[in-house]
Amino acid sequence: MWWFYRKGPSGFAGASTAEEVTAGIDGRGLVAVITGASRGIGRETARVLALRGVRVVMAVRDVSAGARAKEAIQAEIRGGAEVDVLQLDLSSMASVGRFAAEFASLNLPLNILINNAGVMARDCNRSCDGLELHFATNHIGHFLLTNLLLENMKSACRDSGVQGRIVNVSSSGHIMTYPQGICFDKVHDPSGFNSLIAYGQSKLANILHMNELSRILKDEGVNISANTVHPGVIVTSLFRNRTIVSALMNTVGRIISRSVEQGAATTCYVAMHPQVQGITGKYFGNCNIANPSSQAVDAELAKKLWNFSLQMCRFQIK
């Protein structure tokens, strides 16, 4: 486990915590939206950003769980914390649209968007929009959300002069996908999908999404970064629907996994640290730039996925 404590060029390591990597950073005046913020690394990310003075909007499927997380965060932070809870079901494009409208009604600028939520289902079911559930929730939901909030982020960075930051939480599991990377012709027909491979495909899509968005934003001259992170192996509720995987994580996984506080570190580092200023289109692990799979850096695949995703969301994006 020596590698877990070995610091990279950033000065941080896999053992670093979210509080450690954001120590001394003043986030007052910033607003962040965090999906899946009611539990696990999403909740820890919300707590640490609020601790640094960021106004946090928790985008959660279960509003009651979100309210409890909000209360706990505000009770812990001396002087209080600005935290809002809004309902969001990423598997439903209609729900994503409602969330975006509700966020707009708050009349807040948006500086940081953290697409953290994810699902690992036992079976390859369909979403309410007829898409394979992993792809719908982990990729399409976040793709649509990002597009609907992007104009706000562009305005915020122009008005404030502060770089906007978009962070997709992916996984090293993105290597476990189909030979072609993204199996476009099967997204509407998940019957032949293996659920673990489908999960890997959705995590690959997370990286490709940020890579193409980064390219587009650079071409437009917009001061918003788009990066992807691997949080590490963490025993969270993500595995609750995978009996065998959950059993492994609760035995062998306890030896090799990191804490939630450590798991949220790379997300918080990329979302807030000055060292990441101006860096975009990169994949991070252990709070340092890392190397994803060859499929994850395939520019043509990223463009194809972008256009495919736009077509899927065409009735929601104006």
Side-chain angles (χ1 to χ4, degrees), residues 20-289:
E20 289 170 348
V21 304
T22 58
I25 296 175
D26 186 356
R28 288 176 297 179
L30 300 178
V31 177
V33 166
I34 306 171
T35 68
S38 62
R39 56 174 62 89
I41 62 173
R43 175 172 170 168
E44 177 65 4
T45 300
R47 184 188 73 83
V48 171
L49 264 61
L51 182 65
R52 303 304 177 215
V54 178
R55 179 165 179 173
V56 173
V57 178
M58 304 171 71
V60 299
R61 186 172 57 182
D62 184 341
V63 175
S64 296
R68 291 192 295 271
K70 171 184 173 177
E71 290 173 5
I73 290 170
Q74 290 181 321
E76 176 187 337
I77 297 175
R78 188 175 299 174
E82 288 188 283
V83 181
D84 300 276
V85 177
L86 299 181
Q87 202 276 334
L88 171 65
D89 179 356
L90 285 160
S91 70
S92 164
M93 286 188 262
S95 177
V96 176
R98 287 192 295 270
F99 171 88
E102 193 171 357
F103 178 78
S105 72
L106 297 177
N107 293 313
L108 293 173
L110 181 60
N111 309 100
I112 301 168
L113 172 60
I114 299 175
N115 293 320
N116 163 82
V119 63
M120 180 185 283
R122 181 181 302 176
D123 302 308
C124 289
N125 298 315
R126 292 176 190 259
S127 72
C128 62
D129 298 307
L131 302 175
E132 190 279 317
L133 187 62
H134 295 92
F135 192 80
T137 305
N138 298 348
H139 169 61
I140 289 293
H142 282 132
F143 178 87
L144 176 58
L145 178 67
T146 301
N147 272 271
L148 294 178
L149 299 180
L150 196 54
E151 286 305 315
N152 182 316
M153 294 194 73
K154 289 179 179 180
S155 296
C157 73
R158 281 195 302 265
D159 295 344
S160 67
V162 176
Q163 182 186 50
R165 300 192 185 189
I166 303 173
V167 183
N168 269 8
V169 177
S170 181
S171 167
S172 60
H174 75 272
I175 65 173
M176 297 187 301
T177 187
Y178 300 94
Q180 64 269 52
I182 305 295
C183 196
F184 294 99
D185 59 346
K186 292 285 288 181
V187 167
H188 290 283
D189 178 21
S191 58
F193 271 15
N194 173 285
S195 59
L196 286 176
I197 302 299
Y199 172 79
Q201 173 180 250
S202 71
K203 295 289 100 179
L204 172 62
N206 291 154
I207 304 174
L208 294 170
H209 174 204
M210 288 296 96
N211 290 352
E212 181 63 5
L213 178 58
S214 172
R215 184 194 65 79
I216 291 170
L217 293 172
K218 283 194 289 186
D219 286 350
E220 293 179 354
V222 177
N223 188 25
I224 298 175
S225 65
N227 293 297
T228 315
V229 303
H230 165 51
V233 179
I234 308 147
V235 181
T236 70
S237 59
L238 176 68
F239 303 105
R240 63 186 178 273
N241 294 318
R242 298 290 310 189
T243 306
I244 296 175
V245 176
S246 180
L248 287 171
M249 291 302 297
N250 283 298
T251 53
V252 178
R254 295 291 180 184
I255 302 172
I256 63 172
S257 68
R258 62 192 68 188
S259 68
V260 168
E261 293 79 10
Q262 292 166 332
T266 303
T267 301
C268 291
Y269 171 75
V270 175
M272 293 199 70
H273 205 284
Q275 288 179 352
V276 189
Q277 177 74 24
I279 298 175
T280 187
K282 299 297 182 182
Y283 174 78
F284 287 79
N286 295 333
C287 300
N288 287 275
I289 293 176

